[in-house]
């Protein structure tokens, strides 16, 4: 196989997996037009169409699916072997890609990792702030960080934090005009700040609990966001009530910008876990990152 075919196949695999030239271009750091040209050149050399393109979607043809299923794993094996060879050096080196939600990157991962990076100049860490539940193997991430109940069973997982308390919060200004809620039925009469789930597109139902019984409550309000920081800021501004993790709300609770209500309705969530596929366990760089984020906060 010509050397340029290998590079072009890497591009094709990215487009086929993403089902989008736009997303693949963002992931590879190339323009959409460059990706389109590369894929068309590969198709011309192979003499077969690999992708079906419409104005709304991109999907592999039968030939493209065969290439994706049979060649992509072999390229990944080559990459893994190259990483293992480079791992024989005395110091950890390479690229580690991590996906987590924004608040976790800010409050847990970056504070723990920032101090070690100057010690290992050949170690590179890429953070992806995403609320979607990604297939980290297919999306080529080395580590995912999510709450324990969201981790796939076939992954190696290590706990990073204790269980996480949730809170329902509103600003003092909001409560000057609204009676503090005491029951789930009361919440349905309040202006609640809601979260749109990136994976499903639906609105997150507040996962409450009373006397040991779980209650999924579909609240409503004027403002919908896609991340916790914006929800917290909206609550501070007096827009309504927000359901947040206590660690995210803590600075606002401490200085009085937010007030917690209905504490006996707010459950704890399983703590944050870092997880990764077992086949990547041998990487020295991965081991260093895992050990650092696992123990630095202890």
């Amino acid at each position: 196989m010509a050397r340029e075919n290998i590079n072009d196949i890497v591009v094709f695999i990215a487009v086929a997996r993403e089902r989008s030239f736009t997303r693949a271009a963002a992931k590879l750091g190339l323009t959409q037009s460059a990706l389109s040209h590369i894929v068309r050149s590969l198709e011309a050399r192979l003499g077969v169409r690999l992708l079906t393109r419409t104005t709304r979607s991109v999907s592999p043809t039968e030939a493209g699916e065969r290439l994706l299923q049979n060649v992509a794993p072999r390229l990944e094996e080559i990459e893994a072997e190259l990483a293992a060879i480079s791992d024989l050096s005395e110091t950890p080196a390479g690229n580690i890609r991590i996906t987590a939600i924004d608040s976790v990157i800010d409050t847990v991962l970056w504070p723990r990792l920032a101090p070690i990076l100057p010690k290992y100049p050949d170690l590179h860490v890429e953070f992806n702030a995403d609320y979607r539940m990604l297939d980290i193997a297919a999306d080529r991430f080395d580590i995912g960080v999510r709450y324990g109940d969201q981790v796939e069973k076939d992954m190696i997982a290590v706990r990073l934090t204790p269980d996480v308390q949730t809170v329902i919060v509103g600003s003092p200004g909001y409560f000057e005009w609204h009676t503090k809620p005491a029951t789930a039925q009361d919440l349905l009469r309040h202006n609640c700040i809601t979260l749109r789930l990136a994976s499903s597109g639906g609105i997150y139902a507040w996962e409450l609990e009373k006397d040991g019984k779980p209650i999924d409550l579909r609240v409503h309000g004027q403002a919908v966001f896609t991340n916790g920081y914006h929800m917290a800021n909206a609550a501070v501004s007096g827009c309504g009530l927000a359901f947040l993790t206590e660690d995210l709300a803590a600075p606002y609770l401490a200085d009085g910008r937010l007030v917690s209500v209905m504490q006996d309705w707010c459950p704890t969530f399983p703590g944050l876990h870092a997880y990764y596929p077992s086949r990547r366990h041998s990487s020295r760089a991965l081991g260093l990152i895992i050990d650092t984020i696992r123990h630095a906060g202890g």
Side-chain angles (χ1 to χ4, degrees):
M1 178 183 291
R3 209 171 272 175
E4 64 269 19
N5 279 354
I6 297 177
N7 294 330
D8 293 355
I9 288 171
V10 170
V11 169
F12 159 75
I13 289 170
V15 176
R17 281 177 167 165
E18 291 294 328
R19 298 294 200 269
S20 164
F21 279 94
T22 302
R23 290 193 295 271
K27 179 170 287 189
L28 296 175
L30 299 171
T31 65
Q32 294 180 51
S33 59
L35 262 62
S36 181
H37 175 74
I38 289 170
V39 171
R40 290 187 186 281
S41 296
L42 178 62
E43 289 175 328
R45 289 199 301 275
L46 297 178
V48 63
R49 183 174 291 278
L50 299 174
L51 294 174
T52 299
R53 306 163 178 82
T54 70
T55 55
R56 296 193 176 193
S57 66
V58 176
S59 60
T61 62
E62 182 180 353
E65 190 64 38
R66 179 174 176 177
L67 188 64
L68 182 64
Q69 295 301 321
N70 294 332
V71 176
R74 295 174 187 175
L75 290 178
E76 290 174 355
E77 288 175 6
I78 293 171
E79 287 185 355
E81 188 59 32
L82 291 174
I85 291 172
S86 67
D87 218 37
L88 297 175
S89 64
E90 293 183 359
T91 58
N95 301 311
I96 299 296
R97 302 183 69 231
I98 305 174
T99 178
I101 63 174
D102 45 13
S103 60
V104 169
I105 293 172
D106 285 353
T107 62
V108 178
L109 299 180
W110 184 244
R112 298 183 185 188
L113 288 173
I116 73 162
L117 292 182
K119 302 176 185 177
Y120 303 102
D122 294 324
L123 178 64
H124 303 274
V125 183
E126 177 182 341
F127 296 95
N128 173 74
D130 204 319
Y131 276 68
R132 295 176 299 157
M133 285 305 300
L134 302 175
D135 181 337
I136 64 170
D139 290 308
R140 303 174 69 77
F141 287 100
D142 299 286
I143 302 170
V145 178
R146 293 292 187 271
Y147 294 110
D149 59 343
Q150 298 175 320
V151 177
E152 295 293 336
K153 300 302 182 185
D154 60 345
M155 294 285 167
I156 295 177
V158 295
R159 179 181 281 269
L160 303 184
T161 69
D163 288 350
V164 177
Q165 179 65 48
T166 57
V167 290
I168 298 171
V169 293
S171 71
Y174 178 82
F175 289 124
E176 287 180 6
W177 297 93
H178 301 84
T179 302
K180 291 182 179 179
T183 68
Q185 197 64 33
D186 291 344
L187 287 174
L188 296 178
R189 293 189 286 269
H190 275 267
N191 199 1
C192 294
I193 300 159
T194 53
L195 175 73
R196 186 170 297 281
L197 298 170
S199 297
S200 67
I203 298 295
Y204 170 70
W206 288 11
E207 298 175 79
L208 306 179
E209 183 178 291
K210 181 63 175 175
D211 299 328
K213 180 181 178 182
I215 300 170
D216 288 349
L217 190 68
R218 298 196 174 277
V219 298
H220 304 279
Q222 292 178 283
V224 182
F225 295 97
T226 57
N227 72 68
Y229 278 132
H230 294 160
M231 295 169 65
N233 288 332
V236 169
S237 72
C239 177
L241 303 181
F243 183 58
L244 306 170
T245 57
E246 189 175 48
D247 55 347
L248 179 57
Y252 309 106
L253 292 168
D255 63 17
R257 284 181 290 170
L258 289 178
V259 176
S260 175
V261 296
M262 294 179 62
Q263 290 90 343
D264 56 335
W265 288 76
C266 297
T268 57
F269 289 164
L272 290 167
H273 287 66
Y275 61 96
Y276 54 97
S278 58
R279 63 182 173 81
R280 297 186 182 177
H281 183 56
S282 60
S283 165
R284 186 172 300 180
L286 177 63
L288 173 65
I289 296 296
I290 291 293
D291 287 345
T292 301
I293 61 178
R294 183 180 188 179
H295 297 299

